[in-house]
Amino acid sequence: GDSVTQMEGPVTLSEEAFLTINCTYTATGYPSLFWYVQYPGEGLQLLLKATKADDKGSNKGFEATYRKETTSFHLEKGSVQVSDSAVYFCALRGKTSYDKVIFGPGTSLSVIP
Amino acid sequence: ETGVTQSPTHLIKTRGQQVTLRCSSQSGHNTVSWYQQALGQGPQFIFQYYREEENGRGNFPPRFSGLQFPNYSSELNVNALELDDSALYLCASSLVSQVNVLTFGAGSRLTVL
């Protein structure tokens, strides 16, 4: 079945450091890909998405490119801030309204001043 | 936009009891899905409702059931609670025409003793 794999955390970075969180997926067809963020004590918020190969999703300085050839959707940010500390989930969803969202296990990020 | 609200935010039950969790979807959203998020893990899809009928289900036993009402609210019911049911339960709503735009609530934290 479809699945999502993420790099294990926790990840600890200094403020203004470069961030990469790796994500790879296994799916039939061409799913849509997402990054969600979960701040402490809160639900999930959609950070960015890409719906077809070579699409780049971006939001709040974060970027991820849908790579069909490597089945990857790595999250990057050039300069992290303390406020970026959260858990990040990579996810996929098929193309129909019946398809569920499949989440990866999450990667915890801590940014220290 | 009214967002997605869930209640209660926290509750404690004992094994064998039954629980009902409630969700008020974003106005106009005709699809609602429920997810279980165990501590330190990614959310797992429980089921989805569209126009008050279940149209997708994950690998959860029948003691997990749901309802969707015409006013966009919904319920998740869990019977015969087990210790492993302790988790954060997330509700997400969307428009069937915009399957990639899920709005999540903050969740209900269930502890089973």
Side-chain angles (χ1 to χ4, degrees):
Chain A
D2 296 354
S3 65
V4 176
T5 303
Q6 289 180 238
M7 62 184 288
E8 292 188 15
V11 174
T12 302
L13 295 174
S14 297
E15 206 166 20
E16 299 184 0
F18 184 86
L19 168 71
T20 299
I21 301 178
N22 291 336
C23 170
T24 57
Y25 67 91
T26 301
T28 53
Y30 302 101
S32 295
L33 301 175
F34 310 87
W35 278 99
Y36 282 87
V37 59
Q38 187 174 36
Y39 298 101
E42 299 184 13
L44 277 73
Q45 300 176 25
L46 178 63
L47 181 59
L48 54 83
K49 63 180 171 74
T51 57
K52 62 183 187 296
D54 300 324
D55 267 3
K56 177 183 283 188
S58 62
N59 186 25
K60 299 181 181 179
F62 291 90
E63 292 183 341
T65 301
Y66 190 142
R67 300 291 188 196
K68 181 169 67 72
E69 63 276 11
T70 55
T71 62
S72 65
F73 193 55
H74 305 320
L75 182 68
E76 297 182 335
K77 187 176 185 183
S79 176
V80 294
Q81 305 300 312
V82 172
S83 57
D84 294 327
S85 297
V87 180
Y88 292 82
F89 294 93
C90 185
L92 66 82
R93 185 174 191 177
K95 294 299 188 184
T96 76
S97 60
Y98 302 100
D99 289 311
K100 60 188 177 184
V101 179
I102 297 172
F103 289 87
T107 302
S108 176
L109 169 67
S110 292
V111 180
I112 55 177
Chain B
E1 293 187 350
T2 55
V4 176
T5 56
Q6 294 186 241
S7 63
T9 54
H10 296 83
L11 71 165
I12 300 173
K13 294 284 188 177
T14 57
R15 276 185 305 175
Q17 286 189 311
Q18 179 267 343
V19 68
T20 296
L21 307 178
R22 294 179 173 84
C23 172
S24 178
S25 299
Q26 185 157 321
S27 179
H29 282 193
N30 49 18
T31 301
V32 65
S33 50
W34 285 88
Y35 291 80
Q36 180 196 66
Q37 185 180 14
L39 196 62
Q41 298 182 23
Q44 300 293 315
F45 175 75
I46 302 175
F47 45 57
Q48 176 176 284
Y49 279 79
Y50 171 62
R51 290 186 174 177
E52 303 165 45
E53 290 194 7
E54 184 181 300
N55 71 347
R57 190 175 184 93
N59 295 323
F60 282 81
R63 60 190 184 84
F64 285 78
S65 63
L67 287 171
Q68 184 187 27
F69 303 102
N71 65 352
Y72 307 120
S73 66
S74 64
E75 291 181 354
L76 164 65
N77 299 288
V78 187
N79 294 322
L81 284 168
E82 301 177 0
L83 297 180
D84 286 348
D85 295 334
S86 295
L88 180 68
Y89 288 86
L90 296 166
C91 168
S93 71
S94 63
L95 287 170
V96 72
S97 59
Q98 299 181 27
V99 296
N100 290 323
V101 184
L102 285 178
T103 303
F104 280 86
S108 293
R109 172 77 62 190
L110 171 64
T111 301
V112 182
L113 302 176

